[in-house]
Amino acid sequence: MDYRGYLPKSHVDMLPCMAAFAVVVETGSFVHASARLGLTASAVSKQVSKLESALSIRLLERSTRRLKVNAEGAQIYSHCKELLESSANVFRLKESFLESPQGLIRIAVPRSLYGRCHQLIPGFLEQYPDINVQLISNEGALDFIAESIDIGIRITDAPPLGLVARKLFPVDFVVCAADSYLEKYGRPVHPSALVEHSCIPFSDTSEIQTWKLASVQGVYEVSVSGRYVSDSPEAVLNATLSGLGISCLPASLAGEAIAANDLVKVLPEWKYVGALQGMAWILHQPGRHVSQKIKVMVDYLVGALRSTGRA
């Protein structure tokens, strides 16, 4: 019978017996094998006898003074020895994983935070040369198993149940434009005026997008549109800097340009309160034995992202 591709329960049940037989051959006696295995000599003898019964083959020639492996037993021993060596290799790998985190990490982040996260990856890769990283732009629900995702970042007021969630920072958006655009087309004084302006939706589905803005005057929703749309926040930033229109961008992305007076805030008394804004969380699957590579990456991202403040 061809057993390749699966392992019957009867074979699995024999694994301890195979290990015991290999140790008996290596030590030369049941007594010495029992000391190594932490069992009684009688228990070790029973395991070897159980293996012989399962195989219907005599493996050892026994006498009151001597124990000798026969020709059939020598062939079986060579395979049982491989079993012991494989188990030792498993624990060697465990030690190497703990001492030097290694392997591939797949990280899924929303587009609004993609630019900020990808700037941090080179520093991490330099610190951990045995780890590889795939940074994925993902806006939908995270399926960690189906998509082989190790770590996810989401902007939400309620992180998904069943996952380990660590709070990062609040994500704010700002409505802004270049002076060159405002000098040419005027500055809106109320959200309703945005329908008369060329806006730059941050979207991948439509050139029309609804912005929800709030102030002491209340909450106002306005559908904006323009000649240019992109799902890349960096592309929207560049278009805004070039004077193509008014945009709504992550404050962390637009902050440097605003500080340098390359962009100015539009409707500063109004605050964007749309779906892309909220608390950012870093997520991973729970478990008692989270791999070392996941632990070091999560700690690295939490430290780096929190230290830079609001997004």
Side-chain angles (χ1 to χ4, degrees), residues 115-155:
R116 184 170 182 183
C117 289
H118 91 76
Q119 293 175 348
L120 300 174
I121 299 304
F124 177 85
L125 294 176
E126 183 176 355
Q127 187 173 347
Y128 295 97
D130 295 324
I131 295 181
N132 298 328
V133 174
Q134 290 182 359
L135 193 64
I136 309 156
S137 178
N138 182 302
E139 297 291 338
L142 295 175
D143 191 329
F144 282 80
I145 296 176
E147 300 177 56
S148 299
I149 295 171
D150 298 299
I151 297 171
I153 295 179
R154 279 296 175 265
I155 302 170

Side-chain angles (χ1 to χ4, degrees), residues 21 25 59-61 67-77:
F21 171 65
V25 173
L59 303 175
L60 296 172
E61 304 300 333
L67 185 68
K68 182 179 179 181
V69 63
N70 59 29
E72 291 83 0
Q75 291 186 57
I76 298 297
Y77 164 70

Side-chain angles (χ1 to χ4, degrees), residues 25-222:
V25 173
E26 289 180 355
T27 59
S29 76
F30 290 117
V31 173
H32 292 152
S34 68
R36 182 178 295 184
L37 293 170
L39 300 171
T40 64
S42 174
V44 175
S45 178
K46 288 179 180 179
Q47 284 185 316
V48 173
S49 296
K50 187 176 179 181
L51 178 61
E52 288 178 322
S53 297
L55 297 174
S56 298
I57 299 173
R58 187 174 183 84
L59 303 175
L60 296 172
E61 304 300 333
R62 303 169 174 87
S63 68
T64 55
R65 295 186 177 183
R66 296 189 62 188
L67 185 68
K68 182 179 179 181
V69 63
N70 59 29
E72 291 83 0
Q75 291 186 57
I76 298 297
Y77 164 70
S78 66
H79 294 289
C80 293
K81 181 180 180 181
E82 291 178 2
L83 174 67
L84 288 183
E85 292 173 346
S86 294
S87 66
N89 288 334
V90 168
F91 283 91
R92 291 190 190 100
L93 284 174
K94 170 234 177 184
E95 295 300 327
S96 69
F97 291 150
L98 292 177
E99 293 173 3
S100 177
Q102 55 193 272
L104 174 66
I105 303 177
R106 284 171 54 86
I107 308 171
V109 301
R111 285 186 295 272
S112 60
L113 299 179
Y114 188 91
R116 184 170 182 183
C117 289
H118 91 76
Q119 293 175 348
L120 300 174
I121 299 304
F124 177 85
L125 294 176
E126 183 176 355
Q127 187 173 347
Y128 295 97
D130 295 324
I131 295 181
N132 298 328
V133 174
Q134 290 182 359
L135 193 64
I136 309 156
S137 178
N138 182 302
E139 297 291 338
L142 295 175
D143 191 329
F144 282 80
I145 296 176
E147 300 177 56
S148 299
I149 295 171
D150 298 299
I151 297 171
I153 295 179
R154 279 296 175 265
I155 302 170
T156 177
D157 292 328
L161 297 176
L163 296 174
V164 177
R166 294 178 66 179
K167 188 180 292 186
L168 291 175
F169 50 78
V171 177
D172 298 323
F173 276 66
V174 59
V175 180
C176 56
D179 268 329
S180 60
Y181 174 85
L182 298 175
E183 290 172 0
K184 188 174 182 178
Y185 297 101
R187 183 187 298 265
V189 296
H190 188 270
S192 60
L194 291 173
V195 297
E196 305 296 332
H197 283 267
S198 177
C199 295
I200 310 173
F202 169 36
S203 171
D204 61 353
T205 58
S206 172
E207 68 277 4
I208 300 176
Q209 188 179 57
T210 299
W211 292 354
K212 186 176 181 180
L213 302 169
S215 77
V216 294
Q217 302 177 45
V219 178
Y220 192 91
E221 292 189 16
V222 56

